[in-house]
Every structure is written in structure tokens, then in C-alpha cells.
Amino acid sequence: MQNYSLLSIAKHALSGHRHWQPAWRNPEPKPHYDVVIVGGGGHGLATAYYLAKNHGITNVAVLEKGWLGGGNTGRNTTVVRSNYFYPESTRFFDHSLKLYEGLSRELNYNLMLSQGGVTNLAHSRHDMEMFERWSNALQLQGVDAEMLTTEQIQDRFPLLDTSPEARYPVWGGFIQHRGGVVRHDAVAWGYARAASALGVDIIQNCEVTDIVQSADRIQGVQTSRGQIRTDKLALCVAGHSTVLAAKVGLPLPISSQPLQAMVSEPVKPVLNGMVISPIVHAYVSQSDRGEILLGGGADRYPSYGQRGNYPLIEETVAAMLGLFPSFSRLKLMRQWAGIVDITPDTSPIMGLTPITGLYLSGGWGTGGFKAIPAGGDTMAYTIANNRPHELIEPFGLERFVTGALVDEGAASGVAH
Ligand SMILES: Cc1cc2nc3c(=O)[nH]c(=O)nc-3n(C[C@H](O)[C@H](O)[C@H](O)COP(=O)(O)OP(=O)(O)OC[C@H]3O[C@@H](n4cnc5c(N)ncnc54)[C@H](O)[C@@H]3O)c2cc1C
């Protein structure tokens, strides 16, 4: 793999940057792989990378129907944090955040991790009580969380309306200082480049159209570029999880819904980190380019249209203006949506399935970007050893039969 460094930039500058190697190879699909991963988003690519790096399994293909990161991985609002509520979730998401903290160096790819803090706003005494319980739970699990007063929040976000007449009065809140943002495309590209260098075949424009199985055992996949044989198949297809699982008659408790985001025209720095109001249903950050990035809740009906509906845009903008009235003078520049895979308890579904050789990494819903490193690491372990990694045992499909749900609605809801 070509090393990226200041020296290599300087060297390539001498030849007008015309001789950089492509970041990853572009191979033709082979007839057989030890592991086939469907979906070239963050989870598929990270799983492939850790299979090769941690388990020495390199005869692996990642099949992507479009382009790398063209799904939710390249459409999200880039928030990373580990302030979930239940120990199962916090352990998993903190493992992910720790991996993110060293990932630029490991992949030799600048992921632009910026840990400017993630602040949750409380708008009533009851919110404050909940936040105290939440941040205490986090501290007990060794995750950083600090309660903030209204004055401390005002210092961080001078444009936030904290006056007594505010539409949404701010009673205080809590912050995870290690939370922040990561450049989303870079996560896909960084993993793709490193996986490809280890021997993984990354095949774009290759849609999986059917799954071949016999006697409840995976045999391979039918794709738009021919049949590929494998006895280990991992589905990492987010909003299309139910579509592909239906090919082998496996029903999943997942609903596919659009989730929107939007950005304003760029302005000078006005926000100190990311701020979220789970109650008002909006969150805001500022990109390095100065755009105000705005997100809210998911559209309320299932759809595969990556557009989103107008009422939700209005609802999200109105919520944001209730918090930051002066943003009413900004122009919205772009809006988009991705199709997120929401489970009843808003926790992921990861691990083995009742079909031998079929593995699932889905149900990431509105918050799976922050989970990409841990998702890849633990899925690779699960595929290599054919048993779930201990961190993902609570997130198996069987919890919908046993009833052992991990209900993270409050922590994973709008606070992506
Ligand atoms: C607007 C928005 C904001 C979000 N904000 C955040 C956030 O701030 N923080 C956070 O943690 N999470 C956030 N998320 C969620 C996060 O983006 C996703 O959970 C995560 O990216 C899922 O990654 P993935 O690899 O599973 O899926 P994807 O990145 O969607 O990749 C799946 C891939 O599978 C491919 N595919 C589908 N079907 C087939 C097929 N038949 N054959 C071949 N390929 C196929 C798709 O083309 C796609 O590229 C947000 C999502 C959206 C939409």
C-alpha cells in the first residue's frame, strides 16, 4: 500500500500529482471466495478489513451494487459518541470510539476525527433528572459524561437561546467530551484502501440479485456480474437487509425508513461541538467548511426513496430555529436522505442466523456510523470463528424470540 505522508505529497507535487496509485484495486469477481460480504458501506468494508488483518482471511469479496459509501455511510451526519444507556450498548459503542481514536494512524488515512464534544440539552426538571441518571450510568461504566449548567452551555453555544422566554428553555444538560465527528467518506475509503492492500477484492457495480442455498446452508450468490460461490455470506446492506434476507425466506424485525439531513450556506465558526436536543428532536453541528449541519428524526413511513418528505424538513428546521433563532437568516443549501434499518428496540442485529453460513450486520438504524469500527471488528471475529464475539452476544436475532431486548430508544433515537 502506498504510504500517505507529507513527504509523499511533496514528492508527488514534483510530477503534478499525476502518478498516485489508485487507492484500491478494481478486480474482476472470482468464481469462489471464502467469505462474501454484500454491501460496500462502512460495515461491509470494515468487516472485510478486520477479517484480513485480525484473522488472516484474505480470500474475501465485498460486493457493492453502486459505489463505495454511496449508502448511509456517505449520507450521515458523522456523529460519533458512546453515551448510550445500557452496559451492553455502552461497552460496544465505547470500543468503537476507542478504535476511531487510533484509526487514522492505523489506516494511514486522515479520517478527520474531531472530538469537539457532544452536548445533550435538557428542557425541564424531569429531563435533568433523566440526564443525571444517564450520565451517572455512563460514569459507572467508565465512559466520560459531565453534567453542565445552563451557563456552561451558554458559554459553549452563545447563539443558543437560553433566555427565560426561550421557546425551549434550557435547564442544563450533559456532555461527552470524547464525542465528535469523523469524515464519513474517509471512513469508507480508508477501510477500502487498507482491505484491498491486504488482498480483499472490492467489487463495485455488482448487485446481489439472489442468494443460492441448499438445505439451509449458503452456497453462493447470484449477482449482476455472474454467480459467485461461497459458504460464508455476510449481509451488511442497511436499509436493504429485509430485501436480501427475504431471498432465503428469513423475516427480520426491521423497518426501512428515510432519514434526512441538510446543510446551510457556510458561515464563520459559531458552534463549539455538536449539540442535540433529544426532546425537541433536532441536532446541529458545524462542518469544517462552515456549513450548519442539521438532522432530526426519521420519516414516519417505510420507503426506499432516498429523498425524504417535506413535513419532516419543516419539523426539523422549526425545531432548530426554536433553539437557535438567529439561524433563521441562513439559507439551506442541500438536503438528502438515506434509508435506515430500524429495529423495534433501536439496537443493531448482529451475528449468526438460522441459515448456516449466513451472517447479519444490520438494524443500525439512525446511528450505525459511530459503530463501524466495532461492528467490523466483532463481525470479522464472528465470521472467522462461527460464534458471536462477546460484545455482540446481546445483539443477536434471537432476542426477538427470548424478549431480551436492549431498548435504547432514548439514547439512540434522534441523537445520532
Ligand atoms: C441522514 C442520516 C444521518 C445519520 N447520522 C448518523 C450519525 O450522525 N451518526 C451515526 O452513528 N449514524 C448516523 N446515521 C446512520 C449511519 O449512517 C448508518 O447506520 C451506517 O452508515 C450504516 O452503515 P452500513 O455499512 O451498514 O450501510 P450503508 O452505508 O448503507 O451500506 C450498505 C451498502 O449496501 C449496498 N447494497 C444494498 N443492497 C445491495 C445488493 N443487493 N447488492 C450489493 N450491494 C447492496 C448499498 O448500495 C450500500 O452501499 C445516519 C444515517 C442517515 C441516513
Side-chain angles (χ1 to χ4, degrees):
M1 182 166 76
Q2 186 170 15
N3 191 41
Y4 291 167
S5 66
L6 206 56
L7 197 66
S8 60
I9 293 175
K11 204 176 97 200
H12 281 278
L14 297 175
S15 55
H17 293 288
R18 282 189 302 272
H19 303 297
W20 288 99
Q21 280 171 14
W24 52 84
R25 296 171 295 109
N26 193 17
E28 283 302 310
K30 293 191 290 201
H32 172 266
Y33 288 94
D34 295 339
V35 180
V36 168
I37 295 171
V38 193
H43 282 282
L45 293 164
T47 302
Y49 167 71
Y50 292 112
L51 270 171
K53 183 192 154 232
N54 293 351
H55 306 281
I57 302 175
T58 56
N59 187 23
V60 175
V62 177
L63 309 181
E64 166 54 51
K65 71 174 174 181
W67 65 96
L68 297 188
N72 295 340
T73 298
R75 293 168 182 271
N76 64 66
T77 44
T78 75
V79 182
V80 296
R81 60 185 176 88
S82 58
N83 55 358
Y84 279 64
F85 185 71
Y86 290 101
E88 303 80 318
S89 319
T90 309
R91 263 198 304 271
F92 175 80
F93 285 102
D94 207 48
H95 176 54
S96 211
L97 191 52
K98 283 181 182 144
L99 286 174
Y100 262 133
E101 283 165 345
L103 204 55
S104 291
R105 186 169 292 271
E106 177 176 337
L107 299 180
N108 178 226
Y109 204 95
N110 187 0
L111 305 181
M112 298 169 72
L113 167 67
S114 167
Q115 291 175 294
V118 168
T119 303
N120 280 49
L121 298 178
H123 301 293
S124 69
R125 186 162 53 82
H126 313 287
D127 289 355
M128 282 301 274
E129 281 169 11
M130 265 311 297
F131 281 8
E132 267 157 25
R133 182 165 176 251
W134 188 353
S135 53
N136 285 344
L138 289 169
Q139 285 171 14
L140 284 173
Q141 294 165 54
V143 171
D144 67 306
E146 185 190 331
M147 290 299 292
L148 297 176
T149 61
T150 309
E151 292 69 34
Q152 286 172 309
I153 290 178
Q154 172 77 80
D155 280 353
R156 290 187 73 83
F157 304 103
L159 294 184
L160 179 69
D161 187 0
T162 54
S163 68
E165 303 79 42
R167 170 78 179 81
Y168 303 111
V170 176
W171 281 60
F174 85 94
I175 185 167
Q176 180 178 27
H177 291 285
R178 285 167 57 236
V181 290
V182 177
R183 167 101 197 269
H184 49 12
D185 302 314
V187 172
W189 299 337
Y191 273 123
R193 173 171 172 268
S196 173
L198 290 170
V200 170
D201 281 0
I202 292 167
I203 302 161
Q204 300 180 76
N205 297 314
C206 182
E207 179 170 3
V208 171
T209 52
D210 208 353
I211 299 177
V212 187
Q213 64 165 340
S214 95
D216 278 350
R217 183 174 280 278
I218 291 298
Q219 307 271 298
V221 284
Q222 196 62 50
T223 80
S224 53
R225 293 170 67 174
Q227 200 179 80
I228 299 174
R229 281 180 292 108
T230 186
D231 49 16
K232 287 191 171 190
L233 179 67
L235 302 182
C236 302
V237 289
H240 289 79
S241 299
T242 52
V243 177
L244 279 171
K247 310 259 184 222
V248 286
L250 179 66
L252 296 177
I254 288 180
S255 161
S256 296
Q257 288 164 238
L259 177 67
Q260 307 188 45
M262 52 211 95
V263 287
S264 76
E265 60 187 322
V267 287
K268 287 186 178 169
V270 291
L271 290 177
N272 188 359
M274 139 83 53
V275 58
I276 291 166
S277 171
I279 316 300
V280 174
H281 242 205
Y283 62 102
V284 190
S285 67
Q286 187 167 22
S287 73
D288 291 340
R289 282 182 299 216
E291 300 153 350
I292 302 296
L293 174 58
L294 176 62
D299 285 17
R300 291 191 189 84
Y301 57 88
S303 167
Y304 292 96
Q306 294 193 116
R307 293 175 299 276
N309 68 23
Y310 283 109
L312 224 289
I313 301 177
E314 186 184 7
E315 198 175 291
T316 309
V317 170
M320 190 259 300
L321 293 184
L323 299 168
F324 291 91
S326 58
F327 286 174
S328 64
R329 287 154 62 195
L330 293 177
K331 292 189 177 65
L332 271 189
M333 255 191 354
R334 290 192 307 279
Q335 169 276 351
W336 64 92
I339 304 306
V340 294
D341 37 343
I342 300 179
T343 60
D345 61 357
T346 67
S347 286
I349 305 177
M350 302 177 74
L352 281 63
T353 70
I355 293 151
T356 307
L358 183 68
Y359 305 86
L360 178 67
S361 168
W364 291 110
T366 60
F369 175 68
K370 65 179 79 62
I372 286 171
D377 179 26
T378 55
M379 278 308 290
Y381 175 97
T382 303
I383 296 168
N385 297 291
N386 203 36
R387 66 168 184 276
H389 187 285
E390 58 164 338
L391 280 178
I392 66 167
E393 273 172 14
F395 302 119
L397 185 55
E398 62 286 351
R399 76 178 185 275
F400 296 98
V401 176
T402 62
L405 303 183
V406 189
D407 191 344
E408 284 288 1
S412 69
V414 79
H416 310 306

